[in-house]
Amino acid sequence: MNQSITLLSRPSGKPEISNFKFERESMPVANEGEALLKTRFVSVDPYMRGRMNLSESYIPPFEIDEPIESGIVAEVISSANPAFVAGDFVSGILKWKEYQTSDGKELVKVDANKAPLSAYLGILGMTGLTAYLGLIKIGMPKYGETLVVSGAAGAVGSIVGQIGKILGCKVIGIVGTDEKATLLTQKHGFDDALNYRTNVNLRASIYDMCPEGVDIYFDNVGGEISDAVMYNLNRFARVPLCGAISLYNAPEAGTGPRFEMMMVLKSILVQGFIYHNFSDHIPEALTKLEAWLAAGKMSYTETIIDGFQNLPSAFIDLFEGRNEGKMVVKI
Ligand SMILES: NC(=O)c1ccc[n+]([C@@H]2O[C@H](COP(=O)([O-])OP(=O)(O)OC[C@H]3O[C@@H](n4cnc5c(N)ncnc54)[C@H](OP(=O)(O)O)[C@@H]3O)[C@@H](O)[C@H]2O)c1
């Protein structure tokens, strides 16, 4: 029998295991033009929380009683599609199923000899592209500038900071544990990191760490953490708005300080983005990321959870900060 995980109900607040349902079904068979895929690694991502809501977005919501889907690396088990042979590895947005068939239209082949398969869901996948494209195209970093990253020990944030260092910026990370702060400074070369959970005055601490002011704020979390950084922005600062995880489970967004006048007076650029806004630049981004990785200028951290049955809990754990670097589930 095959296993799949469907959406049983839409969460209100933080997602719970009871929002998901495990189902058994017969094994799929590849018809003409299709390949039979075995799921090997599954990406769990904060943006999926938005797809659990019935609201309009850049991507449609998950349907009740339909399988959840996310970035997956799968192995081709058999193929009735001339583009694939058994033993190929592919990546794409696929369903939370142990086995499934695909016509291959949205899949890209990945090379297990070039990088570990899980890396195609992280630094060489959506995560790396988001970090590179958001920072380069909106952050426009220049040598000697100061970059602050929130959600800095996560999948996107840890890559953003390292790119900032390669380009000659001073880089400060904001994270939720002291262990994550150490990971950033010891392994990933950040200049310093702040624990927002234990810090009593984030705004003042950022000022102390960045007396020259902040030129780029790469925002993964939104909310009060971002408010604290915004007060420290320099003239002509750039703010790539990548995500707002601190607000994803909030019933209402709440209110905060008004920054409009400050943004006018300081000529600050604040721009939300989805990485595929810059799809023309994906080849350039992958070339750079692969080269930096091969040259040992970058490294990556992964939290790898074992087992199909642990997919929902791995996803939920993102909202508890239980991951360092990219959270993936190995099947
Ligand atoms: N725009 C795009 O194209 C795009 C693409 C990918 C991801 N994103 C967004 O980028 C952000 C990071 O994604 P990711 O995949 O790299 O996830 P991630 O950072 O690897 O994992 C989520 C992290 O967020 C932090 N967090 C959770 N709840 C929080 C809260 N209430 N306040 C502050 N921090 C909280 C936790 O770290 P701590 O322990 O440090 O709190 C957790 O480890 C998310 O907002 C995501 O939606 C956007």
Side-chain angles (χ1 to χ4, degrees), residues 44-52 62 68-70 96 315:
V44 289
D45 299 279
Y47 81 89
M48 295 165 62
R49 174 63 185 83
R51 295 195 69 185
M52 297 177 91
F62 295 132
I68 305 289
E69 52 182 36
S70 68
W96 281 15
F315 168 66

Side-chain angles (χ1 to χ4, degrees), residues 147 160-171 188-191:
L147 162 67
V160 169
Q162 293 183 80
I163 299 173
K165 285 310 302 174
I166 290 170
L167 299 178
C169 295
K170 169 176 163 179
V171 179
H188 292 309
F190 282 51
D191 293 284

Side-chain angles (χ1 to χ4, degrees), residues 3-6 20-24 308-312:
Q3 269 204 97
S4 78
I5 302 174
T6 59
F20 299 88
K21 185 175 176 197
F22 285 80
E23 310 224 29
R24 290 199 168 268
F308 190 78
Q309 71 282 5
N310 292 321
L311 264 168

Side-chain angles (χ1 to χ4, degrees), residues 44-47 58 126-127 130 151-157 174-177 180 196-197 219-221 225 241-248 273-276 317-327:
V44 289
D45 299 279
Y47 81 89
Y58 62 94
M126 190 259 279
T127 297
T130 302
V156 174
I174 304 177
V175 294
T177 68
K180 291 183 181 187
Y196 70 85
R197 288 184 198 276
D219 185 10
N220 284 310
V221 305
I225 295 171
L241 291 184
C242 178
I245 192 169
S246 76
L247 307 177
Y248 292 174
F273 74 100
I274 303 301
Y275 80 95
H276 47 73
D317 281 351
L318 291 170
F319 300 96
E320 297 291 339
R322 296 223 169 91
N323 61 308
E324 287 188 343
K326 179 72 195 125
M327 181 85 110

Side-chain angles (χ1 to χ4, degrees), residues 1 6 13 29 110 124 134-135 177 192 194 202 247 260 266 281 289 303 323:
M1 294 295 280
T6 59
V29 177
V110 297
L124 298 179
L135 180 64
T177 68
D192 217 333
L194 267 174
L202 208 49
L247 307 177
E260 292 92 333
K266 291 188 174 177
H281 297 273
L289 290 165
T303 300
N323 61 308

